[in-house]
Amino acid sequence: MEVYLSNQLLVTSGSGFFSVQQQHRGRKMAAAQSDRDPPSLLCSEFLHFSAKDTALRWLAAADLQQEVCRHLAVYVPRILCLGPSGGSSWEEQREEQREDLASQLLLLAPLEWFLLGEEPATGLHLLQENNQPSPLCGHVFKVGEPTYSCRECAADPTCVLCMKCFLGSTHKEHRYRMTTSAGGGFCDCGDAEAWKRAPYCQQHSLAPREAEEVRQDPVSLLPADMAARGFSIFSILLKYAVDLLTWNQENQENLLPAGLEPPSRQDTYYCMLFNDEVHTYEQVIYTLQKAVNCSQKEAVSFATTVDRDGRKSVRYGDFQFCDQAKSVIVRNTGRQSKPLRVQVMHSSVVAHQCFALRALSWLGQIIQYSDGLRRVLCEVGLQKGPEGEYSSLVDKLMLNDSKMWKGARNIYHQLLMNSLLMDLKYKKIFAIQFAKNYRRLQTDFMEDDHERLVSVTSLSVQLFTVPTMARMLMVEEDLMTTIIRTFVDHLRHRDLQGRFQFDRYTAQQAFKFGRVQSLIGDLKYVLISRPSEWSDQLRMKFLEGLDAFLELLKCMQGMDPVVRQVGQHIEMEPEWEAAFTLQMKLTHIISMIQEWCSTDERVLTEAYRKCLRALSLCHGGLPDGEQPISLSLAGHSVETFRYQVSQDKVSIHLPVCRLLAGLHVLLSRTEVASRFPEQLPLGELSPPLLIELPLRCLVLCAQVHAGMWRRNGFSLINQIYYYHNVKCRVEMFDKDIIMLQAGAAMMDPNHFLMIVLSRFELFHIFSSADCRKRYREANKDVVQQNNTLIEEMLHLIIMVVGERYVSGVGQVEPSDEVRREIIHQLSIRPMAHSELVKALPENGNKETGLERVIDSVASFKKPGVTGRGLYELRPEWNKHFNLYFHHFSRADQSKAEEAQRKLRRQNAQTTDLPPPPPPRLCPLFGSLVNLLQCDVLLAVEDAVLQWAAEPTGAGWTESMLQRVLHLVGVALLEEEQQLESSSRDDDITFNYSCKITCPGEAPSTSGSALALLESLQNAPHLEVHKDMITWILKTFANIKTMRERTSSTFTAPVCQGQGPEETVRDKDKAERKRKAEMARLRREKIMAQMSEMQKHFINENKELFQQSLEELEASTSAAVDNSPPSLESTCAAQVCVGPRRVGGAERRQLVTCILCQEEQEVRGQGRAMVLAAFIQRSTVLSKNRRCNDPERHDPLFMNPDLSLGIHTASCGHIMHATCWQRYFEAVQLKEQRRQQRLRGHTSYDVENGEFLCPLCECLSNTVIPLLPHTHTPDFRLDHPSLEAWLKMTNQQITALHSAHRKPSDGVAEGAGPAVPEGFRVDFTPQNPFSSSVREMITTFSMSTYKLGLKLNPNEQDHRVPVLSWSTCAYTIQSTERLLMEEDRPLFGSLPCRQDDCLSALTRFSSACWSAAPPTTVQSHFIRLLAALVPDSQVENSLSILDIDMFHLLVYSVMSYSSVHSLNQSQQRVVDSAHLHLLHLVTVAHLVQILLTSTTVEVCMDQDGGASEEEELTCQLYNTLRKHLGSVLPEVTSGWQLLRCLKDGVLPFLRAAALFFHYLNSTAPPVDLLVAGPGQWDVLCTFLNLPSNLLQLHQTQHTLLEPLIHRWCCHPSVRQTLQVSGVIIKFPRESNQLIQLPEDYSVLINQASSFTCPRSGGDKSRAPTLCLVCGSMLCSQSYCCQTEVDGEDVGACTAHTSTCGAGLGLFLRVRESQVLFVAGKTKGCFYPPPYLDDYGETDQGLKRGNPLHLCLERYRKIERLWRQHGVAEVIGHAQEADQTLVAIDWQHL
Ligand SMILES: [Zn+2]
Ligand SMILES: [Zn+2]
Ligand SMILES: [Zn+2]
Ligand SMILES: [Zn+2]
Ligand SMILES: [Zn+2]
Ligand SMILES: [Zn+2]
Ligand SMILES: [Zn+2]
């Protein structure tokens, strides 16, 4: 079975191993116990072996076979299968290599020498050179390889090309379909029969003419002696292989076939385990662990091999040892089912079988070199053996197919494909042999439990789809009859009438039924192409086949009959699916048989006769036993018999009738039908009998609709559904309508209608007025039931007279039929291409004909970034809309009606939906129109119209009236058309208008139908029908005029007649227009009011409006509005850092809790308010995805490669901390209770602190406390210089050093160092926050710690504050990158939620030190500063090349507070310190950039003198060179250096601006609110930096010089620059998702050649591409499971743990699906960025349209990733679709 995603991934549901066809790759031997050493590679005797001498000896031998066998008998058991290879895969591989080498040297080389008569390499080369290969490509497809089929040129959909041929063919310009191979088939390039056009690609173009002869006899190209040697050696080898592969030792006396007995027999055996389709992987793995005492890992490996190759030895040793394992396995698996097949085999048998497979592969390879040798092999294979017929070696293989194990089958099937199927002559002979064996092969296949792909029967597709071959087999081998008979024979269970009876099937029979269906596939291949010419023999054989087919249909006719259940509900739903499966599978066959018949009139008439006869046999006894009754109505009477659908048996399955209906239509299309209808073979059955069964079936549907069959349960509902469904309707519902049409056309219309009335059980209602009255007084249910039945009956009549879009019924083309379907589908709503395809029936070639007509009726609208392309009906086709279109379901009908009426209202038209003009009927159906004007129908119409006149009447319905009006309309249109097309009045037999004018003989008493209509026109209760009645009256008036015109010679009245009418119409129109206009104005007014209200509402409830991710992209919502009103904007230069900065504390922050709706001010001492937030690890910015060890990871210094960051996001929703806590506790409680009830997951993991935002359901895992703004500093204070500040800080640090040391050392150092004034190391600052705020600070700190390091919470860990700073720095950094990438302004373009998040996050980080021990934070500061300013007390400081400067800036600013808090002097210099730190870090960053950015020099002439900036840059650079010397290249261009410098430092400056903006709540300068270049100066000013940054260095030259010296002389700087060379350059380029190819098939091809990295060259089942790094993974498979954190996970999850820090974006190549995974439990699928030409994705690659990359969609995915929005998307997807929650994502 194939592995599909279901609710439970990777759990086989009891139906066997996974099986994927794979190339056998030699057997590996391993066993649990190894009791002897592995044999040495090659013993000395082997080394002295000469292949040449051996070959010479063979040449001289008298009995070659004996010689060769003796050689094999000696060597094979000594080379292969020498015991268990060791447990490790390395040893196993070595053993395999040894076996390969030895068999090549000792076994195959002599064969090659013998065959070629010279050195093999030379010989083979020569062979190939002389070969004139046939133009067939014959490339055999691997699993998952892309295949291409041309929808325009392929003979049938099974004809495919390989990628190479396809790209070299003209078909790539055509409409093609692309699929992935299931493996096994081959490329049809070069097969002239497979393609209607262009059968050759560039490579396989047809060779010149003279080669033609050679191709007839390729053996002639070989040297004669070689051909002879080939013949003998091939015979011997093939026989050897066949003998061994079919060898069953258990039934033989000898150990081995004659001549192969080994010289000495050892007691060495294998315990061989075979594959079956019954046991699951888990069962096998468990059993093996028990039986052979192996590890779980080994057991998995055994099971995988058994599944792939079909068998595997699990133990090696003496007989008893192996037998013991066997009995354990049998005992363990035999309890519930058939035990696993195990066999104890002698090692030499296994060795010979092993070599037999190698020999077959060798043969397959050798014949690739020469078509001559291939022909020789074919001859050998098909040569009759001594036992006569069916005794060739190929026969033997085929007939033993089901007994062989999977690996052996695959190898010999491959050989058959390489040999017989590639040789046109022998392909035919083989096909004949295959057809002769067909019955036996199929019977074997029924017994076999392997899937069809590994059965020889699957070769049928290669043989039967070749049209000439199929016809030859049909004529010579009775193929069609054989297939059908075999099929029927295998379905044995019948009822008394000989009909199939599936409900009595046992499980085994049901299984067989599943397998036997492949025969229908074979039949389809045989019939798929219609013959263009018929021979008499073909006619005969086809008709014989038809006989057999009719036998099959007769077994289906009337199967699964139902009887209406009254009283009680049925107890058990009867089985119905099997019958419908059969019907569905046969649908195409039935259609194809009709197509065959349509090509030859003789065949058609004969087929018609046969079908008619079959039907009359089925009908035998139909009227018997049923009393004849006589019906009379409206002056007509008819005889019929008593039968009631509601009481008697009725069946939906009537394939014989329906085939006849199909043939009847075909007959109608023939010449004979129009000229000599009397010659048609009609009339053996009377029309009433023809219509009887289809009519019953249609009445059944009507009764089900009327609710009369409710007690029969769902099985009946399902059957009715499928009866109308697009998959079945062509050969069910449609044909029943046709049969009624055919019958009605041959009958008196009054009789037809009376029978219809009687079968609907409505006759009594219309036959007398009294009855009608009585019935109205009857109980309500019955009234309703009858109303529905009347509606249904009227609908049926509409269909019978109106459905003419079948070529043969009406005068239409097949394309008209398709067009009409499309028009009606698009009348419902605009649809995507795939929706339309699904709504249309496919033919055997999987074509709907859609593409041929779609553009003429619809216009295509391209999709946006989401959604799909849609087709919209062109307005000119609206007039073809028919409300009673027969393929509309009731829901479709009402939707379409609504849409059409709306459309008409919009266009200010009347809302009537009159019938469209009907096409003309074919002669055979011509008299159908008489139904419209027959007395019975008129009587029915009259009755309904009369009832409708009474507004209160319960006995009629609007739909009833609507249908009658429609019928009247159709009749009038019919008359109008006839009048238009004929010149003389008396030609016209149709005079409906006349009949409705005069009162008829019908029960009507109140005058004519016309009069009735006129009176109804203005009836107030019929307002909705007014337009329709008006239309009818107008049409009637029109007809009257026409009749008058034609009857008189006077032509003038035409104009007169139209005059007044025209004005009336105009007036009408004007009035309607005025009304529409008024309505529009009213609407607009209301809309304006609404939008005003909405605006208010949004303003008032701003916080309540969630911003989804979609909005987030588009939003440019002004953060400006949120920022402080710029009181300070009058200041010329606004700065965000330093003593002159502006703060925001003057503003009060009022927020509303989303849970209790209370307003609250944010205060440090107040009630804590929190923001829902989501923290995740991220590698989005990472330049290095290697794994970090969280245990020992010191996060204090972020490496510039940003290998792992922690990102925080928020939906922006604010709550009271207490409200949130209560909410979260409730969630936890609910989850606990829920888990007790059902052990499912939710989309969020409560145990890990996850919850959904109570307002927007956004995934969150923590909360950020909101903190107040900082105060604006006092501008009057002094600002110490950098030097002064450094000096002071150094003193403080020294004081801290000694203070920190004291407690441990206990040594008082007398006079401590000079402590700055007011600095008290032992001071404990007062915590500025209330306890609730403090608690929340701890909560968020712990969350970042826990999630960032994946550790358990530990408040004492010194890394806790660092992680809080880290997520602040990383989130700002990634925001800056995002804004840069998307060209958005630095400020003002972030959505509120992100703005709020950053602001809360930054202010929180600046305060979080207060929750940590002060000494910890102080020592962090000391270490951080030491990275820039030397501190003798700090050891092991990093080089500046190993530090990300922005992180350093953030950390040092944040940690400085802890040092500063000890300063009790009046001089509060915190802002000055920030500015100095910024300066220092900036200079360090400049140096860092200069050190890393100068490897490439572009020599440019300096034009003019260098600017001051450039000169300073050069100066600084030369200083660096002074320290580092030649490590840095010489750069002369100051301009270039400066450019590098500015580009490199810009991201840092931007991030710093964001940081200080949020930290200090400073309003951004106006210039930074817009995007655009030239913002450098503004940015520098905002940051309180000189715009010439070099001045920072210049002005503090003396102070900085020693620092720079120290930075450069750090030992690792030199080393990094010189040796490792892996340097992060600035600006760091943003990461992108990998580049994807434009054409999806390139990806498929790439994936098909991808092999599982773990199981040595095996194809991967689910190749999956990581979109982040481009790795291809072997997903969803046991082989590549890895242990991560103590749990086995699939390749994707394992990969994400390193590549994406737990988050992954993948493309599942076979499924064309994007996969998002997060952690182990979360994931979802996402539409892939590949679209077909119709703007649709193809998830699952089911449709096969060519797919191309849609860059916008890919960018959207990329944006999602960069925004860290993937986890949120997963959360929302899982909330929306609970089935996603149950998938085991970690196994992907
Ligand atoms: Zn090919
Ligand atoms: Zn080709
Ligand atoms: Zn083509
Ligand atoms: Zn609250
Ligand atoms: Zn929210
Ligand atoms: Zn794998
Ligand atoms: Zn990756």
Side-chain angles (χ1 to χ4, degrees), residues 12 15-18 273-296 298-307 311-312 314 328-329 332-333 337-342 1678:
T12 49
S15 60
F17 289 2
F18 307 137
L273 175 65
F274 288 83
N275 182 33
D276 74 6
E277 304 288 318
V278 180
H279 294 90
T280 64
Y281 244 108
E282 280 75 15
Q283 284 172 321
V284 175
I285 291 167
Y286 173 77
T287 309
L288 282 177
Q289 280 173 272
K290 252 179 135 176
V292 298
N293 192 23
C294 62
S295 71
Q296 154 103 11
E298 283 168 310
V300 169
S301 152
F302 284 148
T304 316
T305 313
V306 170
D307 176 39
R311 69 177 202 181
K312 165 84 184 160
V314 295
V328 176
I329 294 174
N332 265 294
T333 55
S337 53
K338 211 167 83 176
L340 272 170
R341 199 176 136 211
V342 198
Y1678 273 103

Side-chain angles (χ1 to χ4, degrees), residues 1693-1709:
T1693 307
H1695 181 75
T1696 54
S1697 68
T1698 52
C1699 173
L1703 186 115
L1705 294 83
F1706 299 96
L1707 184 67
R1708 289 163 61 84
V1709 182

Side-chain angles (χ1 to χ4, degrees), residues 142-196:
K142 292 173 288 198
V143 182
E145 200 175 339
T147 65
Y148 300 84
S149 181
C150 182
R151 295 174 64 187
E152 289 165 23
C153 316
D156 67 74
T158 65
C159 300
V160 288
L161 292 176
C162 64
M163 190 174 193
K164 218 166 134 201
C165 290
F166 174 75
L167 292 177
S169 74
T170 57
H171 305 295
K172 67 173 186 289
E173 321 287 339
H174 303 167
R175 281 190 313 122
Y176 62 90
R177 190 178 268 137
M178 168 195 79
T179 35
T180 51
S181 169
F186 64 70
C187 173
D188 290 303
C189 182
D191 180 353
E193 271 202 80
W195 308 96
K196 292 176 208 153

Side-chain angles (χ1 to χ4, degrees), residues 912 1016-1018 1022-1031:
D912 55 304
L1016 290 178
Q1017 188 182 12
N1018 291 315
L1022 296 178
E1023 185 62 34
V1024 273
H1025 302 288
K1026 188 179 170 176
D1027 283 348
M1028 182 65 189
I1029 298 175
T1030 312
W1031 177 85

Side-chain angles (χ1 to χ4, degrees), residues 1137-1139 1279-1283 1285-1286 1289-1290 1292-1293 1420-1429 1445-1460 1469-1486 1548-1549 1552 1555-1556 1559 1583-1585 1592 1596 1599-1600 1603 1607:
V1137 53
H1279 174 50
S1281 69
L1282 175 59
E1283 198 176 353
W1285 177 76
L1286 267 181
T1289 309
N1290 270 328
Q1292 291 172 344
I1293 287 174
H1420 284 327
F1421 177 74
I1422 293 169
R1423 284 189 58 210
L1424 287 163
L1425 192 67
L1428 298 177
V1429 184
M1445 288 300 162
F1446 181 66
H1447 276 77
L1448 182 64
L1449 174 69
V1450 172
Y1451 293 8
S1452 50
V1453 165
M1454 300 298 195
S1455 56
Y1456 179 69
S1457 304
S1458 69
V1459 176
H1460 177 71
V1469 290
V1470 63
D1471 284 294
S1472 306
H1474 289 175
L1475 186 61
H1476 290 315
L1477 284 169
L1478 174 64
H1479 285 189
L1480 268 178
V1481 175
T1482 309
V1483 172
H1485 195 33
L1486 293 178
F1548 169 81
L1549 293 182
F1555 171 63
F1556 286 113
L1559 181 69
L1583 282 170
N1584 212 348
L1585 295 173
L1592 287 177
Q1596 302 287 344
L1599 189 70
L1600 291 174
L1603 298 186
W1607 297 341

Side-chain angles (χ1 to χ4, degrees), residues 1123-1169:
S1123 336
S1126 17
L1127 292 170
E1128 306 84 5
S1129 58
T1130 42
C1131 297
Q1134 202 166 318
V1135 294
C1136 62
V1137 53
R1140 305 202 59 81
R1141 67 160 177 95
V1142 179
E1146 292 71 26
R1147 274 174 305 124
R1148 289 177 68 205
Q1149 259 181 299
L1150 278 178
V1151 290
T1152 310
C1153 169
I1154 55 162
L1155 286 168
C1156 68
Q1157 302 297 326
E1158 239 172 71
E1159 214 174 51
Q1160 178 82 41
E1161 187 185 351
V1162 175
R1163 285 189 302 123
Q1165 288 295 343
R1167 274 178 81 183
M1169 296 299 285

Side-chain angles (χ1 to χ4, degrees), residues 238 295 542 544 786 947 951 988 1140 1343 1349 1381 1402 1414 1681:
L238 196 59
S295 71
F542 174 74
E544 270 180 35
N786 278 329
W947 301 337
I988 296 155
R1140 305 202 59 81
S1343 299
L1349 294 180
E1381 286 306 314
T1402 313
Q1681 288 198 352

Side-chain angles (χ1 to χ4, degrees), residues 1652-1655 1660 1674 1677-1680:
C1652 166
R1654 290 267 189 96
S1655 34
S1660 169
C1674 169
S1677 172
Y1678 273 103
C1679 52
C1680 285

